Amino acid sequence: MTTIRRTRLPGHPTVDAGSRGSRTGGDPAPSAGDAGLVRLALIDPPAERTTLDGAWWPRTRSLSGELPGLVQELHRRGIRVTRVAYNPDSWEAAPRRLAADGRTVRLGWFRSIDPQLLDLTGDTTRGRLDLLVVPPDTAAAAARQAFTAASDRANRQTPTAVLAALRPAAAPVPPAQPAVDRLAVDQAAATGAAAAARDVETAVWDSEGGHPLN
């Protein structure tokens, strides 16, 4: 089982140079008093030719609120971040620049990026850091599995594919409804039973997934 490192951060986004306290735990699920913990796993030392470098499990979809803590924790591990790229479909609106870890980090969004990927650059040694973003509302058990997959050096799946593989099997498709007898519609119309014809036509429309215009 992959251990998710969780580091308690100060209650403000500024870096506290004297704060080095950290603890680890096998269960990434936050408790009522764990609001300041960064839930992050990295492949360390870095591996070549991997699709992902690790995973991050933020608590909200606000980059403004979540990113400073992540940047600070990465710096504590010796990784410098100056730029962050993300897909805007997965996050709330964010500024182009954000104060984090005592510096200004530039943010840029690109719809071509995998929606569940966060791309961080700026470290001269490690280069680009690609993190799987586990959605905030993910259950703890599924988050652990996502961290394990993202930290696997043999992983070749995209972030979205990793998360999709953790979802429960799709519910069985319900059996098809009996087809409506189109001949009955024609006969009803021919005999002047307009109301009956409309009722049958409505049944056809509903059975095919349509919705009447009101």
Side-chain angles (χ1 to χ4, degrees), residues 27-82:
D27 185 357
S31 65
D34 285 348
L37 299 180
V38 174
R39 301 175 293 189
L40 173 68
L42 295 178
I43 297 177
D44 196 18
E48 296 182 0
R49 296 186 298 276
T50 56
T51 303
L52 294 167
D53 297 297
W56 176 46
W57 187 15
R59 283 172 176 74
T60 69
R61 296 186 181 276
S62 169
L63 278 175
S64 300
E66 300 288 342
L67 195 58
L70 173 64
V71 172
Q72 180 177 341
E73 170 59 12
L74 288 172
H75 186 209
R76 192 190 69 79
R77 301 191 192 192
I79 303 172
R80 179 185 174 90
V81 176
T82 59

Side-chain angles (χ1 to χ4, degrees), residues 153-191:
R153 294 172 183 270
N155 173 61
R156 294 296 181 269
Q157 290 184 308
T158 64
T160 294
V162 169
L163 293 177
L166 304 179
R167 294 173 184 166
V173 179
Q177 297 296 321
V180 176
D181 187 357
R182 299 293 303 181
L183 180 59
V185 177
D186 297 335
Q187 290 177 343
T191 58

Side-chain angles (χ1 to χ4, degrees), residues 9 16 33 36 41-42 45 62 79 87 89 99 116 129 132 138-139 162 164 166 168-170 187 190 195-196 202-203:
L9 296 173
D16 180 359
L42 295 178
S62 169
I79 303 172
N87 188 311
D89 295 335
Q116 302 305 140
L129 192 70
L132 162 70
T138 303
V162 169
L166 304 179
Q187 290 177 343
T202 299

